Amino acid sequence: MTEAVGIGTGGAAASRPAARVPIDRKRQPSGDEARERAMRAAIGVIAEKGTGALRMSDIAARAGMSTGHILYHFGKKDRLLLEVLAWSQGDLWARFQHAVDQAASPAEKLDLFVRFYLPVHQDDDRYGLWTQVLAQRHDEAGRQILTELLDGWDQRLEAIVREGQDLGQFADVDLPEFTIRAVAMLSGLSEDVMFGRSRWQRASPHAFAMAALERELRPAGRP
C-alpha cells in the first residue's frame, strides 16, 4: 500500500543503492529528526536486502548515524520491521488525509484512495516493506499491529463510500462486502505490479481498478 502520486511518498522512489551519509559523531541528529531519518533509511535497506540479511549497521550507514543511535531508536531487529511499517503507514495516511481534505467529491476521494493504495512500480519501497513484513512470523502483539494497519485501509474506504451513498452519488452496496471485494482486488493488482507482470507495462492498474469500482458504485439508472 503506497501512494501512486508518485502509494508511497507523493512519488515513492525506485529502490536503488543510495549514497551513504558520512557520520559526524559530534553532530548526531536527535528527537523526531533522527527517528524519521532512521525510518526512511530502514525502508530503503529492507527493500534492497530483505529482512534476513538486514543489519542495524546497514541502516546506520544509510542514515549517516551511529549503530548505537539506531539501536536506541529500535531496540532490536525483531521490533524494527513493525516499527518501520507503522511509521510508514502513519506518514502515508497523513498525506492521504491532506489530499482527501482538498477533494471536491467522494468520487475524487475514491480516486485518491486507489492511487495511494497501489504501488507506483515494481520497485516501490513502501509496498516492498509490506511484503517483507507480512511474510514474517509474528506474535500476538505483532499480529494485532498488522491487523490495525490493514483495518485502517478498510475504514478509510468505507468512509468514502458511505459519504458517497449519503449524497446519492454511489449505489447502495453492502458496505462490508464491497470493501472486502475492493481491497482484495487492489491487493491482487498490487502483487501483479510488484511481480512485474507485463500486462501492466501497457495498461494502467489504476484505471483498471477505478473502472471496476465505478461500475459497482454507479447508482441505478445512471449511464
Side-chain angles (χ1 to χ4, degrees), residues 94-168:
R95 280 199 301 279
F96 171 73
Q97 189 59 51
H98 177 75
V100 163
D101 288 344
Q102 314 305 311
S105 68
E108 289 185 22
K109 294 177 183 180
L110 181 65
D111 181 273
L112 285 166
F113 180 88
V114 172
R115 289 186 182 278
F116 274 77
Y117 192 102
L118 293 173
V120 188
H121 42 57
Q122 187 177 2
D123 295 317
D124 189 301
D125 283 353
R126 287 181 182 270
Y127 211 95
L129 176 60
W130 266 102
T131 302
Q132 295 280 349
V133 174
L134 289 175
Q136 301 298 303
R137 285 191 170 188
H138 299 282
D139 59 17
E140 186 59 35
R143 286 194 294 272
Q144 181 63 32
I145 291 171
L146 287 172
T147 298
E148 290 176 0
L149 292 175
L150 291 167
D151 286 350
W153 287 102
D154 293 3
Q155 292 159 6
R156 284 163 173 79
L157 178 57
E158 288 185 2
I160 292 169
V161 176
R162 187 179 296 109
E163 179 186 355
Q165 290 176 331
D166 290 344
L167 294 172

Side-chain angles (χ1 to χ4, degrees), residues 20-21 23 34-46 49-50 53-67 69-71 73-74 76-77 80-81 84:
R20 296 191 172 190
V21 181
I23 299 174
R35 187 167 183 79
E36 180 170 345
R37 184 190 294 187
M39 291 289 187
R40 293 193 183 281
I43 290 173
V45 174
I46 291 167
K49 295 179 174 289
L54 180 67
R55 298 179 302 174
M56 293 299 203
S57 58
D58 295 328
I59 298 172
R62 176 70 59 87
M65 298 162 64
S66 68
T67 302
H69 217 67
I70 297 297
L71 289 170
H73 285 288
F74 293 124
K76 52 185 179 179
K77 181 178 172 181
L80 170 66
L81 293 175
V84 174

Side-chain angles (χ1 to χ4, degrees), residues 164-179:
Q165 290 176 331
D166 290 344
L167 294 172
Q169 297 176 13
F170 289 160
D172 189 23
V173 295
D174 182 286
L175 199 48
E177 289 187 6
F178 171 82
T179 300

